[in-house]
Structures are given as C-alpha cells and as structure tokens.
Amino acid sequence: MRDDQAAALGAPKTPPPRALPSVGGSTPAHESAASAARGGGACVIALDVGGTVIKGGLVSRDSRFVFADRRPARRDRGPAAVSEGVVAFADDLRRVAENRGLTPEAASVVVPGIVDAAAGTRSANLGWRDLPLRRLVRERLGLPVVLDHDVRAGALAEGRIGAAEGRDAFVFLALGTGVSGAFVAGGRAYAGSHGRAGEIGHTLVRPGGSRCGCGARGCLEAEVSGPAVAHRYAEAVPGARATAADVAARAEAGDAVAQRVWHDAVSVLADGVLTAQALFDTPLVVIGGGLSRAGETLLAPLRAMLAERATFHVVPDVAAAALGDNAGCHGAALLAWDAVDAAVAR
C-alpha cells in the first residue's frame, strides 16, 4: 500500500459508536472479501498514544470496539521504552484478534506532536525525533499501518460519528494537558504543508503572559490548559492542590477565587476561538479534551463571551465533543478503515 493511499480519507459515514461489547453475533455483511475468505470477522487495530496512557482497541467496520484496553505510556523510562511499548501493544492486540477469530485488516497509530504521516514523527510530548514508528509497527504486525496526529484523528471521528456529524466544516479544540486543534472541511482534517496545522495552542493570546513549553510567553496553551488553570488557582490559594476539574467544580459551587480563575481561563479561550473564527469562519466549534468535561460550566460563559466580543465574526455554534477520550482511538480506526478501502479501490 502506498503512503498516499494509507492517508486517504473519505469513507462513508458510520453510525454512532456503541458501548464496548463482547465479541459475538454475526459477521458484518460489509466485511472485506479477504476477511470472508479467511473466515474471520474483520477489524482494525487502533492505538492512541498519549503522554500518560496508551489507549488501544479492536474496532469493527461500524465503529464498535470489540475489544479495548489501555496501558501506561511509561514516558519516565525514556522515548525508546514508549515506542517499544506501542509496538508491543499493537502486537498484543493482533494476537487478541486472532484468538477471538477476528481478522485484522490494518492498523493505525495516532500520536501527539508534529507528525510526518509518511516517514515518522517528531513529538516533544514523547521525546521522539524522526522515529519511523509506522515502519516499526508494520514490520511487527505484517499489516498496512497508518500514522497520524491524535487531535486530527479525534476531529475526524467527531466529524463522522460525533458532535459534528453532518457538518461540512468545523474547528475542533482539544483542551487538556496541552491545547491543540484541527480544522476539518469536506471530511478532511487539514494537516498543513509540514504537518503543523492546528497548533492553535501556540497562538499568542496574552503577550508577556505565562511561559509556554514552546518558549514563547502568553500562548493559549500556557493560559488555558488544564495545568495552567490548576497553577493559577494554586497561586491564588497557596498550598491548594486542585486540578482544573476541581477548579471548575468549585467555581460552580460558588468559590469566589475559583470563579475568578475560571472566568479568566474562559476569557482567554474566547479570544482563541475568535482567532480561529477569523481564520476559518466555520459554523461550529467542538470543544474536546479534559476541560470539556466541565460541560456548561465551560460552554455557557464561552458562548456569552463570544457573542459579546465578536465584531465582524459570525459567532459559531459551540458544542462539547461527543466521543470523550475515545475520540483518538475512534479516529485511528476510521483512518485504518480508510486505508483498507483505498487499497481495495486501487
């Protein structure tokens, strides 16, 4: 399979994901002819590699997880240990599939950082530089393998089977340990000329503000990521140990300090969203990542601030992501099925 085929998009939309079921029942009618000939139900291997946890699963054509698991990334053991863990996890999933009478058709791995989908990846989050991860997984599995960016994959999933289903264009923002995004139009998440599109977390929103991991001051990520919100609260309440989720809950409960910290964070986010809107003019912004679990505690003030601050902008709809922390795995599976379809269409 050529790399351009492996990265191809455009498979038909799939129905909404279902709860994690046990394997059983009839073989999907639309499984590939190759799988039917071998007598096994078709699936793909999907892996979403994070800085803390690697999520993986076997996913059917209709976006059901027929098996799911997660493992620690072991980032403290160094980048080589992380990459070895990814390859071993993929191989273990292949064995699980075969033991259950399933036939893996392809695999997909999505990772954070700057991704070269054809050759390898650079990821400051994981300490990798020009690692040929796609080749390493392919050599272990003997299957076609797709490599892509975790947030772009999550955006793809939200567009096909999640909160943006039926929308032709939208911006996806993932707010968690870091801040990243993706612009989706016509069923494609735009990667840019160098794989760097969507790094909205490094948009300057507060000049001279907090130091960002990229080296600049006042980036969106440095002001509104989960750690940034927690740090702001700890500065205001010395000795306090509170996550961003704790800050949101305390703000909702009436804690004045938490309300101020939360208001400031949402204010920064509103400026970031308006920047994205000035560039892309989409009808919808989908908010994902850990901070999205705050629900209307985040979305209601964000919508109000967007309406108040917009000048020439058309204020977009704002919705919470529907797939939660499974979005990356769902996106990886969709990319793998796209690769299968592209190979069949050759």
Side-chain angles (χ1 to χ4, degrees):
M1 180 185 303
R2 298 195 311 265
D3 290 323
D4 58 337
Q5 292 170 331
L9 301 177
K13 285 186 178 180
T14 54
R18 304 174 190 176
L20 304 187
S22 58
V23 178
S26 60
T27 300
H30 44 266
E31 72 174 358
S32 75
S35 288
R38 290 191 291 268
C43 68
V44 293
I45 296 168
L47 287 168
D48 178 9
V49 184
T52 304
V53 173
I54 306 172
K55 295 183 284 289
L58 304 173
V59 186
S60 65
R61 173 68 81 162
D62 60 355
S63 290
R64 290 182 301 164
F65 281 88
V66 295
F67 177 82
D69 195 8
R70 57 179 64 202
R71 298 180 180 178
R74 306 291 189 191
R75 189 172 57 172
D76 58 316
R77 299 183 181 181
V82 177
S83 61
E84 290 165 5
V86 171
V87 175
F89 196 176
D91 200 25
D92 288 345
L93 289 169
R94 177 184 61 80
R95 289 192 181 94
V96 169
E98 292 172 353
N99 288 339
R100 295 187 174 209
L102 299 169
T103 303
E105 297 287 340
S108 182
V109 182
V110 298
V111 299
I114 307 302
V115 178
D116 181 337
T121 180
R122 295 177 60 188
S123 175
N125 303 56
L126 300 171
W128 295 337
R129 182 180 178 88
D130 299 326
L131 175 75
L133 185 60
R134 183 179 62 84
R135 176 175 61 79
L136 294 173
V137 176
R138 184 184 63 202
E139 289 175 351
R140 177 69 69 90
L141 299 182
L143 294 171
V145 176
V146 179
L147 176 73
D148 216 315
H149 189 273
D150 58 346
V151 173
R152 287 197 291 271
L156 177 71
E158 288 291 344
R160 291 198 194 172
I161 59 175
E165 185 176 7
R167 300 292 191 110
D168 183 64
F170 65 97
V171 166
F172 177 70
L173 295 179
L175 311 176
T177 303
V179 175
S180 189
F183 168 56
V184 178
R188 285 182 174 270
Y190 179 65
S193 299
H194 307 95
R196 288 165 165 78
E199 292 298 333
I200 193 170
H202 301 295
T203 302
L204 188 64
V205 289
R206 294 292 184 269
S210 300
R211 177 74 70 180
C212 181
C214 74
R217 286 189 176 276
C219 290
L220 185 65
E221 180 172 304
E223 303 291 337
V224 76
S225 65
V229 173
H231 179 69
R232 287 277 188 276
Y233 188 79
E235 284 184 328
V237 184
R241 294 185 178 181
T243 64
D246 294 331
V247 174
R250 293 175 188 182
E252 183 70 15
D255 181 322
V257 175
Q259 288 177 337
R260 175 172 55 80
V261 170
W262 191 251
H263 177 274
D264 290 347
V266 178
S267 176
V268 170
L269 178 59
D271 289 344
V273 170
L274 287 177
T275 297
Q277 193 65 1
L279 292 172
F280 301 119
D281 187 29
T282 63
L284 173 67
V285 173
V286 176
I287 307 293
L291 267 68
S292 70
R293 297 190 190 112
E296 288 301 307
T297 301
L298 173 67
L299 301 183
L302 176 60
R303 294 187 188 105
M305 290 181 192
L306 292 175
E308 177 185 327
R309 298 180 188 183
T311 55
F312 69 93
H313 317 78
V314 175
V315 178
D317 295 335
V318 179
L323 301 176
D325 66 357
N326 287 323
C329 255
H330 274 297
L334 291 168
L335 289 167
W337 282 117
D338 286 346
V340 172
D341 292 340
V344 170
R346 288 174 57 185

Tab-separated table of all heavy atoms in Angstrom, residues 82-142:
chain	number	residue	atom	x	y	z
A	82	VAL	N	8.821	4.003	25.324
A	82	VAL	CA	7.474	4.326	24.863
A	82	VAL	C	7.219	3.691	23.500
A	82	VAL	O	6.191	3.047	23.265
A	82	VAL	CB	7.251	5.849	24.793
A	82	VAL	CG1	5.856	6.156	24.247
A	82	VAL	CG2	7.415	6.484	26.171
A	83	SER	N	8.166	3.851	22.577
A	83	SER	CA	7.969	3.298	21.239
A	83	SER	C	7.900	1.777	21.277
A	83	SER	O	7.084	1.162	20.576
A	83	SER	CB	9.086	3.760	20.296
A	83	SER	OG	10.360	3.335	20.745
A	84	GLU	N	8.728	1.146	22.092
A	84	GLU	CA	8.682	-0.312	22.224
A	84	GLU	C	7.343	-0.757	22.804
A	84	GLU	O	6.785	-1.781	22.397
A	84	GLU	CB	9.828	-0.796	23.103
A	84	GLU	CG	11.196	-0.665	22.444
A	84	GLU	CD	12.344	-0.812	23.436
A	84	GLU	OE1	12.068	-1.109	24.622
A	84	GLU	OE2	13.498	-0.614	23.033
A	85	GLY	N	6.810	0.042	23.747
A	85	GLY	CA	5.510	-0.279	24.322
A	85	GLY	C	4.397	-0.181	23.301
A	85	GLY	O	3.455	-0.990	23.319
A	86	VAL	N	4.481	0.796	22.403
A	86	VAL	CA	3.470	0.946	21.356
A	86	VAL	C	3.480	-0.268	20.431
A	86	VAL	O	2.432	-0.854	20.122
A	86	VAL	CB	3.712	2.238	20.548
A	86	VAL	CG1	2.799	2.289	19.328
A	86	VAL	CG2	3.497	3.467	21.419
A	87	VAL	N	4.662	-0.657	19.995
A	87	VAL	CA	4.777	-1.800	19.082
A	87	VAL	C	4.285	-3.079	19.759
A	87	VAL	O	3.541	-3.874	19.163
A	87	VAL	CB	6.235	-1.950	18.601
A	87	VAL	CG1	6.387	-3.206	17.751
A	87	VAL	CG2	6.668	-0.721	17.805
A	88	ALA	N	4.667	-3.291	21.022
A	88	ALA	CA	4.242	-4.486	21.743
A	88	ALA	C	2.731	-4.499	21.948
A	88	ALA	O	2.082	-5.557	21.834
A	88	ALA	CB	4.965	-4.563	23.083
A	89	PHE	N	2.143	-3.351	22.260
A	89	PHE	CA	0.692	-3.241	22.453
A	89	PHE	C	-0.032	-3.614	21.164
A	89	PHE	O	-1.006	-4.388	21.164
A	89	PHE	CB	0.350	-1.823	22.881
A	89	PHE	CG	-1.018	-1.634	23.483
A	89	PHE	CD1	-1.386	-0.380	23.974
A	89	PHE	CD2	-1.944	-2.661	23.561
A	89	PHE	CE1	-2.639	-0.170	24.531
A	89	PHE	CE2	-3.203	-2.468	24.122
A	89	PHE	CZ	-3.548	-1.218	24.603
A	90	ALA	N	0.455	-3.073	20.039
A	90	ALA	CA	-0.154	-3.389	18.751
A	90	ALA	C	-0.088	-4.885	18.475
A	90	ALA	O	-1.064	-5.495	17.997
A	90	ALA	CB	0.539	-2.605	17.640
A	91	ASP	N	1.051	-5.491	18.774
A	91	ASP	CA	1.215	-6.925	18.542
A	91	ASP	C	0.291	-7.735	19.453
A	91	ASP	O	-0.299	-8.747	19.038
A	91	ASP	CB	2.670	-7.313	18.771
A	91	ASP	CG	3.031	-8.632	18.105
A	91	ASP	OD1	2.370	-9.009	17.110
A	91	ASP	OD2	3.982	-9.283	18.577
A	92	ASP	N	0.138	-7.296	20.688
A	92	ASP	CA	-0.774	-7.979	21.607
A	92	ASP	C	-2.221	-7.898	21.105
A	92	ASP	O	-2.986	-8.872	21.213
A	92	ASP	CB	-0.673	-7.383	23.004
A	92	ASP	CG	0.624	-7.748	23.719
A	92	ASP	OD1	1.317	-8.688	23.250
A	92	ASP	OD2	0.954	-7.093	24.726
A	93	LEU	N	-2.596	-6.754	20.563
A	93	LEU	CA	-3.945	-6.608	20.019
A	93	LEU	C	-4.148	-7.524	18.819
A	93	LEU	O	-5.238	-8.092	18.631
A	93	LEU	CB	-4.212	-5.149	19.633
A	93	LEU	CG	-4.377	-4.177	20.805
A	93	LEU	CD1	-4.374	-2.740	20.310
A	93	LEU	CD2	-5.653	-4.461	21.585
A	94	ARG	N	-3.126	-7.686	18.002
A	94	ARG	CA	-3.220	-8.618	16.881
A	94	ARG	C	-3.485	-10.031	17.393
A	94	ARG	O	-4.341	-10.754	16.856
A	94	ARG	CB	-1.936	-8.587	16.055
A	94	ARG	CG	-1.914	-9.579	14.893
A	94	ARG	CD	-0.578	-9.576	14.174
A	94	ARG	NE	0.514	-9.963	15.055
A	94	ARG	CZ	0.815	-11.224	15.377
A	94	ARG	NH1	0.083	-12.221	14.912
A	94	ARG	NH2	1.820	-11.484	16.191
A	95	ARG	N	-2.778	-10.426	18.439
A	95	ARG	CA	-2.966	-11.775	19.000
A	95	ARG	C	-4.378	-11.944	19.587
A	95	ARG	O	-4.996	-12.994	19.433
A	95	ARG	CB	-1.919	-12.043	20.077
A	95	ARG	CG	-0.514	-12.229	19.539
A	95	ARG	CD	0.405	-12.790	20.627
A	95	ARG	NE	1.756	-12.963	20.137
A	95	ARG	CZ	2.724	-12.062	20.264
A	95	ARG	NH1	2.466	-10.910	20.865
A	95	ARG	NH2	3.924	-12.302	19.795
A	96	VAL	N	-4.852	-10.898	20.272
A	96	VAL	CA	-6.212	-10.959	20.812
A	96	VAL	C	-7.213	-11.171	19.686
A	96	VAL	O	-8.135	-11.993	19.786
A	96	VAL	CB	-6.547	-9.677	21.596
A	96	VAL	CG1	-8.038	-9.614	21.933
A	96	VAL	CG2	-5.723	-9.592	22.874
A	97	ALA	N	-7.041	-10.425	18.590
A	97	ALA	CA	-7.951	-10.559	17.457
A	97	ALA	C	-7.942	-11.985	16.918
A	97	ALA	O	-8.996	-12.597	16.703
A	97	ALA	CB	-7.557	-9.569	16.362
A	98	GLU	N	-6.757	-12.504	16.714
A	98	GLU	CA	-6.660	-13.846	16.135
A	98	GLU	C	-7.218	-14.899	17.081
A	98	GLU	O	-7.871	-15.857	16.643
A	98	GLU	CB	-5.209	-14.124	15.774
A	98	GLU	CG	-4.727	-13.247	14.612
A	98	GLU	CD	-3.237	-13.365	14.342
A	98	GLU	OE1	-2.534	-14.033	15.132
A	98	GLU	OE2	-2.781	-12.779	13.336
A	99	ASN	N	-6.997	-14.731	18.380
A	99	ASN	CA	-7.533	-15.686	19.353
A	99	ASN	C	-9.056	-15.660	19.405
A	99	ASN	O	-9.686	-16.652	19.810
A	99	ASN	CB	-6.968	-15.392	20.745
A	99	ASN	CG	-5.501	-15.759	20.871
A	99	ASN	OD1	-4.983	-16.561	20.092
A	99	ASN	ND2	-4.819	-15.170	21.852
A	100	ARG	N	-9.643	-14.544	19.008
A	100	ARG	CA	-11.106	-14.421	19.025
A	100	ARG	C	-11.726	-14.678	17.660
A	100	ARG	O	-12.906	-14.421	17.444
A	100	ARG	CB	-11.496	-13.022	19.519
A	100	ARG	CG	-11.091	-12.771	20.956
A	100	ARG	CD	-11.624	-11.459	21.470
A	100	ARG	NE	-11.338	-11.292	22.890
A	100	ARG	CZ	-12.081	-10.585	23.721
A	100	ARG	NH1	-13.163	-9.967	23.286
A	100	ARG	NH2	-11.751	-10.474	24.987
A	101	GLY	N	-10.924	-15.162	16.728
A	101	GLY	CA	-11.448	-15.459	15.403
A	101	GLY	C	-11.665	-14.257	14.531
A	101	GLY	O	-12.409	-14.304	13.548
A	102	LEU	N	-11.008	-13.145	14.868
A	102	LEU	CA	-11.123	-11.921	14.082
A	102	LEU	C	-9.929	-11.785	13.151
A	102	LEU	O	-8.844	-12.311	13.422
A	102	LEU	CB	-11.186	-10.710	15.005
A	102	LEU	CG	-12.356	-10.680	15.976
A	102	LEU	CD1	-12.152	-9.573	17.006
A	102	LEU	CD2	-13.663	-10.486	15.234
A	103	THR	N	-10.131	-11.052	12.081
A	103	THR	CA	-9.060	-10.829	11.114
A	103	THR	C	-8.709	-9.357	11.065
A	103	THR	O	-9.481	-8.550	10.531
A	103	THR	CB	-9.479	-11.299	9.709
A	103	THR	OG1	-9.853	-12.675	9.771
A	103	THR	CG2	-8.338	-11.125	8.722
A	104	PRO	N	-7.547	-8.944	11.601
A	104	PRO	CA	-7.135	-7.543	11.486
A	104	PRO	C	-6.786	-7.204	10.036
A	104	PRO	O	-6.001	-7.911	9.403
A	104	PRO	CB	-5.889	-7.460	12.383
A	104	PRO	CG	-5.900	-8.712	13.210
A	104	PRO	CD	-6.594	-9.740	12.386
A	105	GLU	N	-7.395	-6.154	9.522
A	105	GLU	CA	-7.158	-5.729	8.144
A	105	GLU	C	-6.053	-4.688	8.036
A	105	GLU	O	-5.366	-4.610	7.012
A	105	GLU	CB	-8.453	-5.148	7.565
A	105	GLU	CG	-9.604	-6.125	7.472
A	105	GLU	CD	-9.403	-7.130	6.354
A	105	GLU	OE1	-8.605	-6.867	5.444
A	105	GLU	OE2	-10.044	-8.193	6.413
A	106	ALA	N	-5.896	-3.868	9.057
A	106	ALA	CA	-4.909	-2.790	9.050
A	106	ALA	C	-4.782	-2.287	10.475
A	106	ALA	O	-5.544	-2.681	11.360
A	106	ALA	CB	-5.334	-1.657	8.113
A	107	ALA	N	-3.817	-1.425	10.694
A	107	ALA	CA	-3.622	-0.807	11.999
A	107	ALA	C	-3.391	0.683	11.814
A	107	ALA	O	-2.970	1.138	10.747
A	107	ALA	CB	-2.442	-1.434	12.734
A	108	SER	N	-3.675	1.428	12.851
A	108	SER	CA	-3.438	2.867	12.826
A	108	SER	C	-2.960	3.312	14.200
A	108	SER	O	-3.468	2.845	15.222
A	108	SER	CB	-4.712	3.625	12.446
A	108	SER	OG	-4.477	5.016	12.377
A	109	VAL	N	-1.971	4.182	14.201
A	109	VAL	CA	-1.419	4.735	15.430
A	109	VAL	C	-1.495	6.251	15.326
A	109	VAL	O	-1.029	6.833	14.338
A	109	VAL	CB	0.047	4.310	15.642
A	109	VAL	CG1	0.573	4.856	16.968
A	109	VAL	CG2	0.189	2.798	15.584
A	110	VAL	N	-2.091	6.900	16.324
A	110	VAL	CA	-2.141	8.361	16.333
A	110	VAL	C	-1.369	8.850	17.555
A	110	VAL	O	-1.430	8.262	18.628
A	110	VAL	CB	-3.586	8.891	16.312
A	110	VAL	CG1	-4.291	8.450	15.035
A	110	VAL	CG2	-4.390	8.448	17.514
A	111	VAL	N	-0.621	9.919	17.350
A	111	VAL	CA	0.310	10.406	18.366
A	111	VAL	C	0.245	11.927	18.449
A	111	VAL	O	-0.186	12.594	17.521
A	111	VAL	CB	1.760	9.976	18.028
A	111	VAL	CG1	1.888	8.471	17.996
A	111	VAL	CG2	2.216	10.581	16.703
A	112	PRO	N	0.681	12.492	19.562
A	112	PRO	CA	0.740	13.951	19.673
A	112	PRO	C	2.009	14.486	19.016
A	112	PRO	O	2.908	13.734	18.650
A	112	PRO	CB	0.778	14.174	21.187
A	112	PRO	CG	1.479	12.958	21.710
A	112	PRO	CD	1.055	11.818	20.821
A	113	GLY	N	2.083	15.799	18.888
A	113	GLY	CA	3.305	16.428	18.383
A	113	GLY	C	3.225	16.720	16.900
A	113	GLY	O	2.157	16.781	16.300
A	114	ILE	N	4.390	16.889	16.290
A	114	ILE	CA	4.477	17.156	14.862
A	114	ILE	C	4.632	15.824	14.154
A	114	ILE	O	5.594	15.100	14.380
A	114	ILE	CB	5.678	18.077	14.544
A	114	ILE	CG1	5.626	19.340	15.406
A	114	ILE	CG2	5.700	18.416	13.065
A	114	ILE	CD1	4.359	20.160	15.259
A	115	VAL	N	3.689	15.501	13.288
A	115	VAL	CA	3.626	14.166	12.705
A	115	VAL	C	3.925	14.213	11.214
A	115	VAL	O	3.318	14.981	10.468
A	115	VAL	CB	2.241	13.540	12.925
A	115	VAL	CG1	2.154	12.168	12.277
A	115	VAL	CG2	1.941	13.452	14.408
A	116	ASP	N	4.869	13.385	10.775
A	116	ASP	CA	5.110	13.115	9.364
A	116	ASP	C	4.442	11.780	9.082
A	116	ASP	O	4.976	10.723	9.420
A	116	ASP	CB	6.613	13.046	9.088
A	116	ASP	CG	6.926	12.785	7.621
A	116	ASP	OD1	6.059	12.238	6.910
A	116	ASP	OD2	8.042	13.108	7.185
A	117	ALA	N	3.264	11.823	8.483
A	117	ALA	CA	2.465	10.609	8.338
A	117	ALA	C	3.133	9.580	7.440
A	117	ALA	O	2.854	8.390	7.555
A	117	ALA	CB	1.087	10.966	7.784
A	118	ALA	N	4.022	9.989	6.547
A	118	ALA	CA	4.643	9.049	5.623
A	118	ALA	C	5.888	8.393	6.203
A	118	ALA	O	6.134	7.211	6.003
A	118	ALA	CB	5.002	9.759	4.317
A	119	ALA	N	6.698	9.162	6.947
A	119	ALA	CA	8.020	8.660	7.329
A	119	ALA	C	8.203	8.421	8.816
A	119	ALA	O	8.933	7.524	9.215
A	119	ALA	CB	9.091	9.645	6.848
A	120	GLY	N	7.590	9.209	9.659
A	120	GLY	CA	7.842	9.060	11.088
A	120	GLY	C	7.174	10.161	11.863
A	120	GLY	O	6.188	10.726	11.424
A	121	THR	N	7.703	10.481	13.015
A	121	THR	CA	7.089	11.511	13.838
A	121	THR	C	8.119	12.244	14.672
A	121	THR	O	9.144	11.678	15.049
A	121	THR	CB	6.028	10.901	14.782
A	121	THR	OG1	5.448	11.937	15.567
A	121	THR	CG2	6.626	9.870	15.705
A	122	ARG	N	7.843	13.491	14.926
A	122	ARG	CA	8.562	14.242	15.945
A	122	ARG	C	7.545	14.609	16.996
A	122	ARG	O	6.515	15.181	16.705
A	122	ARG	CB	9.174	15.515	15.369
A	122	ARG	CG	10.243	15.281	14.326
A	122	ARG	CD	10.716	16.596	13.767
A	122	ARG	NE	11.273	17.441	14.820
A	122	ARG	CZ	11.633	18.718	14.636
A	122	ARG	NH1	11.490	19.269	13.470
A	122	ARG	NH2	12.133	19.411	15.623
A	123	SER	N	7.810	14.291	18.234
A	123	SER	CA	6.867	14.576	19.307
A	123	SER	C	7.609	15.040	20.543
A	123	SER	O	8.269	14.247	21.210
A	123	SER	CB	6.023	13.346	19.638
A	123	SER	OG	5.197	13.616	20.742
A	124	ALA	N	7.499	16.337	20.826
A	124	ALA	CA	8.116	16.845	22.050
A	124	ALA	C	7.482	16.195	23.277
A	124	ALA	O	8.137	15.972	24.291
A	124	ALA	CB	7.962	18.364	22.115
A	125	ASN	N	6.190	15.854	23.168
A	125	ASN	CA	5.491	15.232	24.302
A	125	ASN	C	6.119	13.905	24.700
A	125	ASN	O	6.151	13.548	25.868
A	125	ASN	CB	4.017	14.984	23.945
A	125	ASN	CG	3.286	16.229	23.529
A	125	ASN	OD1	3.708	16.910	22.604
A	125	ASN	ND2	2.186	16.519	24.182
A	126	LEU	N	6.620	13.165	23.718
A	126	LEU	CA	7.101	11.813	23.969
A	126	LEU	C	8.607	11.666	23.787
A	126	LEU	O	9.143	10.580	23.978
A	126	LEU	CB	6.369	10.831	23.035
A	126	LEU	CG	4.848	10.810	23.198
A	126	LEU	CD1	4.201	9.982	22.096
A	126	LEU	CD2	4.453	10.272	24.559
A	127	GLY	N	9.295	12.741	23.423
A	127	GLY	CA	10.742	12.698	23.282
A	127	GLY	C	11.232	12.086	21.991
A	127	GLY	O	12.422	11.800	21.846
A	128	TRP	N	10.344	11.862	21.018
A	128	TRP	CA	10.744	11.261	19.754
A	128	TRP	C	11.200	12.322	18.761
A	128	TRP	O	10.703	13.434	18.746
A	128	TRP	CB	9.579	10.518	19.119
A	128	TRP	CG	9.103	9.339	19.889
A	128	TRP	CD1	9.798	8.607	20.807
A	128	TRP	CD2	7.805	8.749	19.819
A	128	TRP	NE1	9.033	7.594	21.308
A	128	TRP	CE2	7.796	7.651	20.719
A	128	TRP	CE3	6.655	9.025	19.080
A	128	TRP	CZ2	6.678	6.847	20.903
A	128	TRP	CZ3	5.547	8.226	19.260
A	128	TRP	CH2	5.556	7.150	20.156
A	129	ARG	N	12.118	11.969	17.908
A	129	ARG	CA	12.507	12.826	16.797
A	129	ARG	C	12.798	11.938	15.592
A	129	ARG	O	13.692	11.095	15.628
A	129	ARG	CB	13.735	13.670	17.140
A	129	ARG	CG	14.142	14.620	16.016
A	129	ARG	CD	15.371	15.437	16.406
A	129	ARG	NE	15.780	16.303	15.321
A	129	ARG	CZ	15.312	17.529	15.124
A	129	ARG	NH1	14.429	18.029	15.971
A	129	ARG	NH2	15.703	18.272	14.116
A	130	ASP	N	12.002	12.116	14.542
A	130	ASP	CA	12.177	11.353	13.298
A	130	ASP	C	12.157	9.850	13.542
A	130	ASP	O	12.940	9.094	12.947
A	130	ASP	CB	13.467	11.768	12.593
A	130	ASP	CG	13.459	13.246	12.218
A	130	ASP	OD1	12.369	13.752	11.906
A	130	ASP	OD2	14.524	13.879	12.253
A	131	LEU	N	11.291	9.407	14.422
A	131	LEU	CA	11.147	7.980	14.705
A	131	LEU	C	10.272	7.341	13.634
A	131	LEU	O	9.149	7.786	13.413
A	131	LEU	CB	10.504	7.777	16.077
A	131	LEU	CG	10.183	6.333	16.452
A	131	LEU	CD1	11.460	5.596	16.822
A	131	LEU	CD2	9.187	6.289	17.599
A	132	PRO	N	10.740	6.285	12.955
A	132	PRO	CA	9.930	5.633	11.909
A	132	PRO	C	8.885	4.696	12.521
A	132	PRO	O	8.898	3.477	12.292
A	132	PRO	CB	10.977	4.874	11.093
A	132	PRO	CG	12.029	4.513	12.092
A	132	PRO	CD	12.083	5.681	13.059
A	133	LEU	N	7.977	5.253	13.287
A	133	LEU	CA	7.047	4.436	14.060
A	133	LEU	C	6.141	3.610	13.161
A	133	LEU	O	5.843	2.447	13.453
A	133	LEU	CB	6.214	5.331	14.976
A	133	LEU	CG	5.271	4.616	15.941
A	133	LEU	CD1	6.032	3.700	16.885
A	133	LEU	CD2	4.458	5.638	16.750
A	134	ARG	N	5.683	4.203	12.073
A	134	ARG	CA	4.810	3.459	11.166
A	134	ARG	C	5.516	2.202	10.664
A	134	ARG	O	4.945	1.113	10.647
A	134	ARG	CB	4.393	4.343	9.984
A	134	ARG	CG	3.421	3.660	9.026
A	134	ARG	CD	3.026	4.600	7.896
A	134	ARG	NE	4.186	4.978	7.117
A	134	ARG	CZ	4.696	4.252	6.124
A	134	ARG	NH1	4.137	3.097	5.803
A	134	ARG	NH2	5.733	4.673	5.443
A	135	ARG	N	6.767	2.343	10.263
A	135	ARG	CA	7.509	1.186	9.759
A	135	ARG	C	7.711	0.139	10.846
A	135	ARG	O	7.581	-1.067	10.593
A	135	ARG	CB	8.864	1.635	9.196
A	135	ARG	CG	9.734	0.462	8.731
A	135	ARG	CD	11.009	0.942	8.069
A	135	ARG	NE	11.854	1.731	8.950
A	135	ARG	CZ	12.654	1.198	9.887
A	135	ARG	NH1	12.684	-0.108	10.080
A	135	ARG	NH2	13.408	1.986	10.629
A	136	LEU	N	8.019	0.580	12.076
A	136	LEU	CA	8.251	-0.366	13.170
A	136	LEU	C	7.007	-1.197	13.467
A	136	LEU	O	7.092	-2.413	13.666
A	136	LEU	CB	8.686	0.392	14.427
A	136	LEU	CG	10.046	1.096	14.365
A	136	LEU	CD1	10.260	1.933	15.618
A	136	LEU	CD2	11.174	0.087	14.174
A	137	VAL	N	5.846	-0.544	13.483
A	137	VAL	CA	4.604	-1.269	13.756
A	137	VAL	C	4.269	-2.190	12.586
A	137	VAL	O	3.854	-3.342	12.769
A	137	VAL	CB	3.448	-0.293	14.047
A	137	VAL	CG1	2.130	-1.052	14.240
A	137	VAL	CG2	3.758	0.548	15.276
A	138	ARG	N	4.457	-1.701	11.368
A	138	ARG	CA	4.157	-2.512	10.188
A	138	ARG	C	5.013	-3.773	10.147
A	138	ARG	O	4.534	-4.872	9.845
A	138	ARG	CB	4.386	-1.682	8.923
A	138	ARG	CG	4.020	-2.404	7.621
A	138	ARG	CD	4.374	-1.541	6.430
A	138	ARG	NE	5.808	-1.305	6.374
A	138	ARG	CZ	6.383	-0.280	5.730
A	138	ARG	NH1	5.627	0.623	5.129
A	138	ARG	NH2	7.690	-0.148	5.718
A	139	GLU	N	6.311	-3.619	10.455
A	139	GLU	CA	7.203	-4.782	10.436
A	139	GLU	C	6.807	-5.814	11.485
A	139	GLU	O	6.927	-7.019	11.259
A	139	GLU	CB	8.649	-4.329	10.646
A	139	GLU	CG	9.216	-3.582	9.447
A	139	GLU	CD	10.612	-3.025	9.713
A	139	GLU	OE1	11.059	-3.083	10.886
A	139	GLU	OE2	11.245	-2.537	8.753
A	140	ARG	N	6.328	-5.367	12.645
A	140	ARG	CA	5.918	-6.308	13.683
A	140	ARG	C	4.613	-7.015	13.314
A	140	ARG	O	4.464	-8.229	13.544
A	140	ARG	CB	5.761	-5.579	15.019
A	140	ARG	CG	5.268	-6.455	16.164
A	140	ARG	CD	6.284	-7.486	16.617
A	140	ARG	NE	7.413	-6.848	17.272
A	140	ARG	CZ	7.485	-6.600	18.576
A	140	ARG	NH1	6.502	-6.984	19.367
A	140	ARG	NH2	8.548	-6.005	19.082
A	141	LEU	N	3.661	-6.262	12.751
A	141	LEU	CA	2.331	-6.818	12.513
A	141	LEU	C	2.198	-7.507	11.161
A	141	LEU	O	1.355	-8.394	10.997
A	141	LEU	CB	1.272	-5.715	12.595
A	141	LEU	CG	1.122	-4.974	13.925
A	141	LEU	CD1	-0.004	-3.964	13.815
A	141	LEU	CD2	0.880	-5.930	15.066
A	142	GLY	N	2.969	-7.074	10.174
A	142	GLY	CA	2.764	-7.570	8.826
A	142	GLY	C	1.470	-7.077	8.210
A	142	GLY	O	0.864	-7.750	7.375
